Amino acid sequence: MENGLWELLGSKGLLKRHEFIRILVQCLYSLGFKKSASCLEHESNILYKSADFGLLEKQVLSGNWDSCLAVLDRIFDSSSDHTRDTALYLVLKQCLVEYLKQGDISLALNVLRKQAPLLGMGKEKIHRLACDIVYTKEMESGEADSFLVQDLRKNLLVELEKLIPLPIVIGERRLEHLVESAVLHQIDTCLYHNSWDAVSLYKDHCCGRDQIPSETVQILMAHKNEVWFVQFSNSGKYLATASSDCTAMIWKLQVLDDNKVELKHTLESHQNPVSFVSWSPDDTKLLTCGNAEVLKLWDVETGVLRHTFGNNNTGFTVSSCAWFPDSARLVCGSSDPERGIVMWDTDGNEIKAWRGTRIPKVVDLAVTPDGESMITVFSDKEIRILHLETKVERVISEEQPITSLSVSSDGKFFIVNLSSQEIHLWDLAGEWKQPLKFSGHRQSKYVIRSCFGGLDSSFIASGSEDSQVYLWNLKNAKPLEVLSGHSMTVNCVSWNPRNPRMLASASDNQKMQ
C-alpha cells in the first residue's frame, strides 16, 4: 500500500513502518532538527502532522474560526463527545477574546448567538464562558497586537492537540516516551539496580552485584561489649552506635579518605545498656535510649548531654523514640503500660501524652517523614497507625510477635520484623489487605532490626541470628544477597541514605561493619 502503510519492522514484525517514521520525524522536530525532519518527510512521503491537523493548524493561526470549527466537527465525528465540546469551547473562547480585544462587541455577540446552539450551550455554559473571558489574563493586557494574538493561537493549538484523538495527532515526544518506557522496564526487572546515573541506550540494562553493598570495607571495634543498634544520620555523614557496654558512639565519615569512619564522640551517661538511638532530622541532635532506662538528648557537634527525659526514680523507662520533622519535638514510648507515649520539646516540656488502658506496652514506634502519622507496635503483635491531626487510627494485627519497626524514606511503607523469621512490608495508606513477606534470615530469640535502603528504598536489609546480613529486593521474597563477616548474631543494620552502596551492621561480637 502507498507509503508502506502495512509494512512491518522489527524482528517480531510488531512495528508499523509508517508509524515508526512518523514518530522519528516528530522527534527530529522536537530536538530542533527541522531541516532533517523535513527531509525525512519528503523522502518517505510520510508527514508528522496529518492532513486534518495541518488544515486545523492553518485555520487557527490565520484566525478563520468558522473553518476551524468545521474541521473540528469532522475530526470529532461524535456530536455528543465531551472532548469535542471542550475543543469547540476553547476555539469559541479564543474567537470571542480576539473580537473583544479589537473592540468589536457586536461581532462577538453574533458569533456567540450563532455558535452557542451548535455547542448545546445553555445559560449556565454561556455564563461560564463570559466569566472565563472577563477574568482571563489576556483581557487585562490592553489592546491586542499581532505578536500577542499569534502567541494565544499557538497556545490554543497546544491545548487542542491534547484533545484530538489518535492517529490524527500523536502524543508529545512520543519516541522519547517509548524509549524511556523501555529503559524503565529494564530497570524494573534489574534486581541489582541501585544508581542515580543515567542509563546507556547502547546496550540492554543489567546491573551486577557490585551496585549494592557486598564487601566489608571497614571494621569498627571501639565498643567493649555487644553492639545492639546502628544508624546513619539523615545526611549520611555520621553514624551512631549503641552498645550493652552502656555507651553510645558518634562516628564521622571522612569524605576525603574513601568515606572511612572515625570516632567523633563517646557518649557516657547511661547506667544500663544503650539499646536505641535516633537522629534529629537536621542531624544536630541525637537521642539515646537506655535499656529499661531513661531517654537522653545529646549535641552532635560537641558530644555534650543536653537533657535527660524522665529519671530512674520515677520509673519512666523508654523502649523507643522518634523525631518530628521540625527537629524541635520528639516522641517516646515506654515498656511500662502506665507510662504510655509522651511527646516532648527538646527542653523537656511535655506537649502531649497518650496514656490509659488503651495504651499497652510499647515495643517500638516511628513518626512518618511528613510528621502526619505515628506508627506504634503494642504488646508484641499489634500495630497502630494514628493520623495525628484527624485522630483516625488504623490497627493491624500480626499473628507472631513483632520485634522492630522501620519506615521507608518516602513514608509510604513500613516493615516489621517478626520472631517467626519473616519481615512483613505494609503500605501506610491501608490499601493492602495482606503484607508482602520476606524470609530467609534467622530470628527466633533476639530483637533483630531491619531497614529500607538503596535507590528509592528499593531494598531491605536485616540482621540475623546466624551472623549474616540479608538483603532483599522489594520485588522478590527471597534474599538477593547474604553477606558474611560477623561471627555472632547481627542485631541491627542501617543503609546510608545518601550513599546507596554503603551499609552498616552491628553484632554481638562487638564489631560494626
Side-chain angles (χ1 to χ4, degrees), residues 295-315:
L295 179 68
K296 294 181 180 289
L297 174 66
W298 305 81
D299 183 278
V300 171
E301 181 61 32
T302 63
V304 172
L305 177 63
R306 289 181 51 175
H307 193 81
T308 297
F309 300 85
N311 58 72
N312 290 326
N313 296 328
T314 62

Side-chain angles (χ1 to χ4, degrees), residues 22-23 26 48 161 166-174:
R22 192 177 171 196
I23 65 171
Q26 182 202 42
Y48 153 49
E161 195 168 356
L166 299 169
I168 298 171
V169 298
I170 54 179
E172 185 180 9
R173 298 182 179 274
R174 182 62 183 162

Side-chain angles (χ1 to χ4, degrees), residues 187-256:
I187 289 175
D188 194 50
T189 56
C190 176
L191 295 178
Y192 287 98
H193 187 75
N194 193 31
S195 172
W196 286 289
D197 297 338
V199 173
S200 173
L201 300 181
Y202 294 144
K203 61 180 180 179
D204 290 343
H205 176 73
C206 183
C207 294
R209 68 188 299 267
D210 61 321
Q211 293 296 306
I212 62 173
S214 55
E215 296 182 3
T216 301
V217 295
Q218 190 175 2
I219 298 175
L220 310 178
M221 297 287 292
H223 282 294
K224 299 176 182 178
N225 211 328
E226 299 170 353
V227 185
W228 287 355
F229 200 92
V230 60
Q231 188 178 72
F232 278 105
S233 65
N234 300 284
S235 66
K237 298 178 180 179
Y238 297 96
L239 183 72
T241 56
S243 170
S244 61
D245 66 5
C246 304
T247 70
M249 293 183 179
I250 296 176
W251 308 76
K252 186 174 183 179
L253 275 67
Q254 303 300 317
V255 178
L256 299 179

